[in-house]
Amino acid sequence: MQKMAELLERGEECGEGAWGAPGLADSCLADNRLNLDVYPDGCHRFLQLFRGRQGEMFQVEFLRLSSNDRLLDSTLDILPRLKQLKSLVLKGGHARDEFGSCQHGSLTNLPPDVGNLRCLTHLDLSFNNLSTLPGCILCLPSLRVLLVSHNRLVALPEDFGSLRKLTFFSAMKNQLKDLPQSIGELAALQDLDLSENALELLPEELGNLHNCTELDLSGNCLSSIPDSLGNLKSLRRLHLHSNLLVTVPASLASLPDLSRLDLQNNCLRTVPPEIQSLPFVHLRGNPLGKTEPSPQAGNCKASAAVGSVQLLPRAAQQGVDGFTVTSEGCKVVLACGIRFYFPPGAASDPLRICFRILAPDPQWVKLRHHDVLLSRVLELQPHGVEFQQEVEIWMPCASPQTLHQREVVVRTFSGQSWSDLRTRVEHKRKSKKYVAHCNVLHFSWFLVVSRLVQNECKVSKEGTLLFSSVDPNIKVTFPPGVTEETRSVKLQVLPVSAEEIEEITDNAGCRASPLLCLSQDSVVDFLRPVRIQLPFPPGVTGLNLDQSRLHLLHSDQEGQNWHDITNQVVLDFTHLYAVFEVTHFSWYWLWYTTKSYVGGIAKKVYERLRMYQVNFIALQRKKDPEQVLLQCVPKHKVEPVLKKLQDRYRGPEPSDMVEMFEGEQFFAAFERGISIDMDRPDCVDGRLSFIFYSHLKNMKEIYVTSPVDRKGQAVKGQVSFYRGAVPEGIPEDASRRRKGPDSLWLATLPIKLPQLKPHWSGNPGPLNGFSFPPLNLGNAETGYLTQANLLSIARRVGADWQTIGLNLGLTYQQIERIGYNNREDLDKQILEMLFSWAQQNLEDPRCVSKLITAMKESGRQDIADEVETIIELGRQKYRESIRRVGLEQESSTEDSAIAMT
């Protein structure tokens, strides 16, 4: 199989010449496995192989293809001829859009003859566009594992129970509203995952699944569950979190093998005593003991009635990332503070809404000049779906108070360009937070921006008057006959104080009026001159005006070059204003100076007005010096930020002041004996990547290590900051100054790692009598957490171990016992907590995601990032291994391994 992969990578044709020596094809297909989903043109390679060595292809038993492939339809016609096929994977999600979202595959059905594959035991159709389950699937007599997650299924066929050999079925993240009664006929079923659908009722027949060991119904709209679930005597894990449950049957407490019962984030106000006393039940996020709230209280996720509230706690969001809206409308509140109101009739049918909070990337978040980003990016799916009525969105944002004479808008992306929505800003007095409120008819991407106040009007052939709400002395007069076709005109004003001009130019004699920015939606010049009125620069009037010192400058909409057009227009003067006429729009600026080259001065000032003065800080956690906090802070915020962090962190004084543009990239490099994990997703050539946004937290917490032996002495290293990519639209001179090795360096701050404690420095193994059992948490495709990984994590936990243990699901009694048994040794307390949890969750494929969630809930985002980095590295290694040798599991374990992914 490895030789086949090598041939495919070279793109060789699979005819006689491709196989070369006799017997080579036999050795390539010895394992009868063909994994082509890792290639962007896998279906093309499959068709080549089929044409070149058809006989060998008929022996293939394990086949993986990407359903994002454009030649998928041609490939599907051949599949029924592969009679020996045991495992077939036709997954989407291998391609991503420009925002990093997985693209669903093009698969909407299967050829009817696929039902003739009598040997097929494993079928994975995840991440596709199936709205109904292909009928041929019900004809597969040997099928034991079926995955159709991340599709658009609204129902399962009535005779779904005919798949009598099915042991694993996953339909998570679909739009299922109900289940057929025949589902109770799946006597062999052991694992059933129906999470993140729109289920409101469950059939009583579900209680006939006597061999079921794990049942996941989380993230639905269930208000109750049938008593018959108490008949599932083999059930070990039951997941019911993030529903609308108001009651649960007491019979669940009598299930003999049950070891986990998830009831978090429901509407449970009372729980049967038998259930509440179970040591493995999880009830966080329920209004236990509380009275019925008013619709405005929003204490729990309620039924989708008018005025009801769906509150999605953070834990639920990380797993579910979605909610369901019905025709009755509802209110939804996310834990991050984002709120929605869907009025009755906004959605004609139940609709699953998915959301993501994304970090802004300057490559596609195009900020205009003088824009300030006030929020992260909210993505709402499905994209482009038109609502019958406007949906209201409230997005929390950074305080715009320091941004004078500006306005806050929600900006949305249509797939082609960004546009601004009519926005209202609300100030929550109690929380002192700001919220941007807008109305939309469709979903896409949204972010909050502070921009220069924009005044606009429609100009018709009758003419009109437009003036600035920031400075009413700035007026634009459009005479009758100025245009034949109505056009839209926009006006923005950037006020510039005399103090700013003097500080930048170092010349008290230089003064400037507010900068006037005019634009229109037409490329045609006006038919008649447009009259513009600008106020004189501060301190200048018609009485003391020296016309030789007054200059009118204009520039394009990038501000790259400023030209003196004083002699090209007729300037009229009043006591307070200068008036001139133009036939096309640009940017205009009045300057009063004795300098001859005014354009160069204006260019320098304009560039500096777009820059922020910032300082870098590098602090180490007092309890764990290996945890380092890096942040880029505007200079006026440095003191309050340090005051807030001083109880938990210590470090050197902030760096000297440097200047940066909004959206500019910079890097942090650890040097002189200090290193970081090079496999981090935000690590580029060994350096951490940042994007500076003046009103967002440009902060990262990471763990550092040292290749130097720290048993005998501390390590005195440093972190240096360097410039990265320059944002689009930056003046050429500014870009030129950022080239070359010397100009890239910004600042350097010292980092000191103390002498390493002896008991943490050895290789993984017994620790003062504490032995670590070998383990692998997770699965092959998503990557494992090993014994060594847990030891590394344990070093960073510190005094937070009890909080982390509770969020992992350990009981208070277990935490107390661990603390008492190891009361003289914090290290042992941490290790016993982690490894006892790991041993209990060895068979749970979701255990790694639960560990990440627990760390985030415990305020340890740094450890959560480390675990995610380890897992991402595991995924990369897994994909590399697929490219080399294909799937390595024996056929006997193939189904169970894939079922966990």
Side-chain angles (χ1 to χ4, degrees):
M1 198 63 194
Q2 185 174 358
K3 294 179 180 178
M4 175 182 284
E6 292 172 355
L7 287 173
L8 290 173
E9 288 185 16
R10 293 200 302 268
E12 297 187 58
E13 294 292 335
C14 296
E16 294 295 332
W19 295 110
L24 183 57
D26 296 333
S27 64
C28 286
L29 285 169
D31 286 340
N32 298 323
R33 300 172 188 268
L34 194 54
N35 304 292
L36 298 176
D37 56 340
V38 296
Y39 301 102
D41 58 345
C43 288
H44 174 67
R45 296 169 187 254
F46 175 86
L47 295 173
Q48 285 183 327
L49 284 169
F50 192 80
R51 287 195 299 266
R53 287 294 176 180
Q54 196 171 107
E56 288 83 1
M57 291 293 289
F58 284 149
Q59 303 304 314
V60 170
E61 296 180 359
F62 303 93
L63 175 62
R64 298 175 68 99
L65 291 168
S66 167
S67 57
N68 295 108
D69 200 301
R70 58 186 179 84
L71 295 178
L72 179 66
D73 291 340
S74 302
T75 307
L76 291 177
D77 296 334
I78 298 175
L79 296 183
R81 303 172 65 181
L82 306 181
K83 301 296 184 182
Q84 303 302 316
L85 208 56
K86 293 181 180 179
S87 174
L88 175 60
V89 177
L90 296 172
K91 290 176 63 173
H94 295 275
R96 294 181 178 270
D97 60 22
E98 59 183 313
F99 298 98
S101 302
C102 291
Q103 292 184 336
H104 284 234
S106 59
L107 188 68
T108 58
N109 207 340
L110 289 175
D113 289 344
V114 169
N116 297 327
L117 297 175
R118 307 190 62 83
C119 297
L120 193 67
T121 62
H122 172 266
L123 179 61
D124 188 348
L125 305 176
S126 304
F127 281 97
N128 280 294
N129 277 285
L130 299 174
S131 57
T132 59
L133 196 70
C136 60
I137 292 178
L138 303 180
C139 301
L140 297 170
S142 303
L143 192 64
R144 293 192 289 115
V145 176
L146 175 60
L147 297 97
V148 288
S149 58
H150 295 268
N151 275 278
R152 309 187 191 282
L153 299 175
V154 296
L156 297 176
E158 287 299 324
D159 53 348
F160 185 70
S162 62
L163 295 171
R164 301 298 171 83
K165 292 188 177 181
L166 202 64
T167 61
F168 182 97
F169 177 56
S170 174
M172 69 174 294
K173 285 220 171 186
N174 279 274
Q175 300 169 22
L176 297 176
K177 302 174 185 177
D178 52 33
L179 299 174
Q181 296 180 351
S182 66
I183 197 169
E185 300 173 12
L186 301 174
L189 195 64
Q190 298 176 10
D191 290 88
L192 177 59
D193 188 351
L194 298 170
S195 60
E196 301 178 47
N197 279 277
L199 296 173
E200 296 181 0
L201 292 173
L202 299 175
E204 289 284 342
E205 288 76 9
L206 205 62
N208 297 333
L209 303 177
H210 299 299
N211 287 310
C212 187
T213 60
E214 180 156 6
L215 176 58
D216 194 339
L217 298 167
S218 60
N220 281 281
C221 300
L222 299 171
S223 57
S224 63
I225 56 175
D227 292 340
S228 62
L229 292 192
N231 300 328
L232 303 178
K233 302 302 182 183
S234 300
L235 198 63
R236 297 177 184 174
R237 291 175 291 274
L238 177 57
H239 308 282
L240 294 167
H241 64 79
S242 307
N243 274 282
L244 311 174
L245 295 178
V246 295
T247 181
V248 290
S251 58
L252 296 179
S254 62
L255 295 175
D257 294 333
L258 194 65
S259 61
R260 185 174 186 89
L261 177 57
D262 292 330
L263 294 171
Q264 308 99 306
N265 310 318
N266 279 282
C267 297
L268 296 170
R269 294 183 177 83
T270 60
V271 176
E274 302 93 325
I275 298 291
Q276 200 158 4
S277 63
L278 296 174
F280 47 78
V281 67
H282 301 272
L283 293 166
R284 290 192 305 272
N286 283 285
L288 294 173
K290 297 182 181 179
T291 58
E292 186 79 20
S294 64
Q296 290 77 21
N299 287 325
C300 69
K301 187 176 176 182
S303 60
V306 178
S308 69
V309 178
Q310 298 184 30
L311 176 62
L312 301 183
R314 192 174 304 278
Q317 290 175 31
Q318 291 163 353
V320 177
D321 292 331
F323 51 89
T324 301
V325 177
T326 70
S327 60
E328 296 177 353
C330 64
K331 297 178 182 178
V332 179
V333 181
L334 308 186
C336 58
I338 295 174
R339 294 183 290 138
F340 305 91
Y341 172 62
F342 296 86
S348 55
D349 296 309
L351 180 64
R352 184 73 176 174
I353 305 295
C354 297
F355 63 87
R356 290 196 306 167
I357 309 298
L358 305 171
D361 187 334
Q363 292 184 354
W364 54 271
V365 176
K366 303 298 184 184
L367 296 180
R368 301 160 193 160
H369 285 221
H370 308 288
D371 282 350
V372 176
L373 190 63
L374 299 181
S375 76
R376 292 165 69 87
V377 181
L378 168 65
E379 180 188 6
L380 295 172
Q381 296 180 346
H383 298 159
V385 171
E386 191 83 10
F387 291 100
Q388 304 300 315
Q389 296 189 49
E390 287 188 336
V391 176
E392 296 184 62
I393 303 178
W394 289 263
M395 292 184 64
C397 59
S399 171
Q401 280 190 322
T402 58
L403 303 169
H404 303 296
Q405 298 176 315
R406 303 172 69 90
E407 61 187 356
V408 175
V409 294
V410 174
R411 188 164 291 171
T412 183
F413 186 71
S414 64
Q416 301 295 328
S417 61
W418 292 89
S419 59
D420 294 345
L421 303 173
R422 189 181 299 275
T423 307
R424 300 171 295 283
V425 179
E426 302 173 5
H427 183 203
K428 305 298 181 181
R429 293 183 180 274
K430 290 185 178 180
S431 62
K432 299 181 180 180
K433 294 182 179 179
Y434 290 83
V435 179
H437 178 200
C438 65
N439 294 44
V440 299
L441 279 172
H442 67 275
F443 280 170
S444 60
W445 294 266
F446 302 88
L447 52 84
V448 183
V449 169
S450 172
R451 71 180 186 188
L452 298 178
V453 174
Q454 182 170 287
N455 302 110
E456 56 184 303
C457 69
K458 296 289 185 181
V459 179
S460 63
K461 60 183 179 181
E462 287 78 16
T464 188
L465 172 67
L466 177 63
F467 64 90
S468 168
S469 58
V470 174
D471 187 345
N473 296 316
I474 298 177
K475 298 180 181 180
V476 183
T477 305
F478 301 89
V482 72
T483 179
E484 291 183 351
E485 301 291 336
T486 300
R487 62 182 77 182
S488 178
V489 174
K490 297 178 182 179
L491 176 154
Q492 291 178 299
V493 171
L494 176 64
V496 186
S497 68
E499 292 77 11
E500 288 178 301
I501 297 291
E502 182 177 348
E503 180 183 354
I504 296 172
T505 62
D506 196 23
N507 187 336
C510 282
R511 300 173 189 178
S513 71
L515 169 61
L516 173 62
C517 306
L518 292 171
S519 61
Q520 59 169 324
D521 61 357
S522 174
V523 296
V524 180
D525 286 350
F526 291 103
L527 300 179
R528 296 188 60 187
V530 176
R531 187 177 181 87
I532 298 176
Q533 173 182 292
L534 281 177
F536 286 126
V540 180
T541 68
L543 299 177
N544 62 9
L545 175 66
D546 180 351
Q547 294 189 26
S548 65
R549 298 176 60 184
L550 189 69
H551 302 268
L552 177 62
L553 306 181
H554 93 101
S555 173
D556 57 20
Q557 296 190 9
E558 294 299 324
Q560 296 279 8
N561 296 290
W562 292 89
H563 304 284
D564 190 340
I565 60 170
T566 309
N567 298 326
Q568 301 174 26
V569 299
V570 176
L571 279 171
D572 295 326
F573 305 109
T574 68
H575 181 60
L576 298 175
Y577 312 116
V579 182
F580 58 96
E581 294 182 339
V582 296
T583 56
H584 66 277
F585 275 174
S586 179
W587 293 3
Y588 299 98
W589 212 351
L590 271 180
W591 276 74
Y592 195 72
T593 179
T594 58
K595 300 290 184 180
S596 56
Y597 182 50
V598 187
I601 300 174
K603 183 176 182 179
K604 176 183 177 182
V605 170
Y606 183 76
E607 174 188 323
R608 287 285 302 275
L609 288 175
R610 296 184 58 195
M611 293 176 125
Y612 292 86
Q613 296 180 332
V614 302
N615 301 87
F616 296 99
I617 60 175
L619 304 176
Q620 294 173 264
R621 187 182 280 262
K622 292 179 179 179
K623 293 182 179 180
D624 184 0
E626 291 184 338
Q627 183 181 347
V628 179
L629 181 148
L630 303 178
Q631 190 169 3
C632 177
V633 188
K635 70 173 186 178
H636 67 279
K637 296 182 180 179
V638 171
E639 188 173 338
V641 166
L642 291 177
K643 185 176 180 180
K644 185 178 180 180
L645 296 172
Q646 64 184 2
D647 292 338
R648 292 176 294 148
Y649 295 87
R650 59 170 166 247
E653 291 295 316
S655 71
D656 292 337
M657 187 272 294
V658 298
E659 292 181 329
M660 300 192 76
F661 288 99
E662 183 87 357
E664 183 171 357
Q665 185 182 37
F666 66 95
F667 295 95
F670 288 90
E671 301 162 340
R672 296 180 60 183
I674 296 181
S675 59
I676 60 172
D677 185 354
M678 300 297 182
D679 294 312
R680 288 175 57 105
D682 57 352
C683 191
V684 180
D685 297 328
R687 304 183 300 174
L688 286 178
S689 174
F690 292 77
I691 304 296
F692 170 74
Y693 291 106
S694 59
H695 280 63
L696 300 184
K697 289 185 178 180
N698 309 286
M699 179 181 71
K700 291 186 181 181
E701 283 191 85
I702 60 168
Y703 270 91
V704 298
T705 57
S706 175
V708 180
D709 185 3
R710 293 164 52 198
K711 295 180 183 178
Q713 60 182 1
V715 175
K716 296 181 180 180
Q718 64 186 30
V719 57
S720 295
F721 297 90
Y722 300 88
R723 294 192 188 277
V726 180
E728 293 184 6
I730 296 303
E732 294 177 2
D733 289 348
S735 300
R736 195 176 301 116
R737 289 197 298 272
R738 281 161 166 72
K739 295 178 181 179
D742 296 332
S743 63
L744 291 177
W745 175 83
L746 292 168
T748 296
L749 294 171
I751 296 290
K752 180 179 179 181
L753 293 183
Q755 180 179 345
L756 191 63
K757 294 181 180 180
H759 59 274
W760 278 119
S761 59
N763 294 324
L767 175 63
N768 297 335
F770 192 93
S771 60
F772 309 114
L775 50 84
N776 283 308
L777 296 175
N779 56 70
E781 188 164 342
T782 60
Y784 289 106
L785 280 183
T786 65
Q787 170 200 36
N789 297 141
L790 275 191
L791 284 172
S792 176
I793 292 169
R795 292 178 52 192
R796 293 152 169 76
V797 169
D800 297 325
W801 74 272
Q802 292 174 310
T803 304
I804 293 171
L806 290 172
N807 286 326
L808 283 172
L810 274 65
T811 65
Y812 285 105
Q813 292 82 357
Q814 289 174 301
I815 295 293
E816 289 176 355
R817 186 182 68 250
I818 292 172
Y820 179 79
N821 292 341
N822 306 282
R823 52 191 177 277
E824 302 297 331
D825 194 331
L826 175 62
D827 296 339
K828 281 191 175 182
Q829 292 172 345
I830 298 168
L831 290 166
E832 185 174 344
M833 179 274 293
L834 275 178
F835 278 87
S836 60
W837 168 81
Q839 288 298 316
Q840 295 172 16
N841 291 269
L842 278 174
E843 299 180 2
D844 186 355
R846 302 176 185 85
C847 60
V848 176
S849 63
K850 293 175 182 176
L851 178 62
I852 294 172
T853 298
M855 292 300 176
K856 292 179 179 179
E857 290 178 343
S858 306
R860 297 305 301 268
Q861 181 69 41
D862 53 304
I863 303 181
D865 291 343
E866 180 185 359
V867 177
E868 288 175 334
T869 299
I870 295 171
I871 294 304
E872 179 59 29
L873 178 60
R875 292 192 189 103
Q876 294 174 5
K877 292 181 177 179
Y878 179 78
R879 289 193 290 266
E880 291 170 1
S881 68
I882 284 181
R883 290 188 179 94
R884 292 195 302 269
V885 297
L887 297 178
E888 296 179 353
Q889 297 96 329
E890 294 296 329
S891 60
S892 60
T893 62
E894 179 84 4
D895 296 339
S896 61
I898 300 179
M900 291 191 296
T901 61

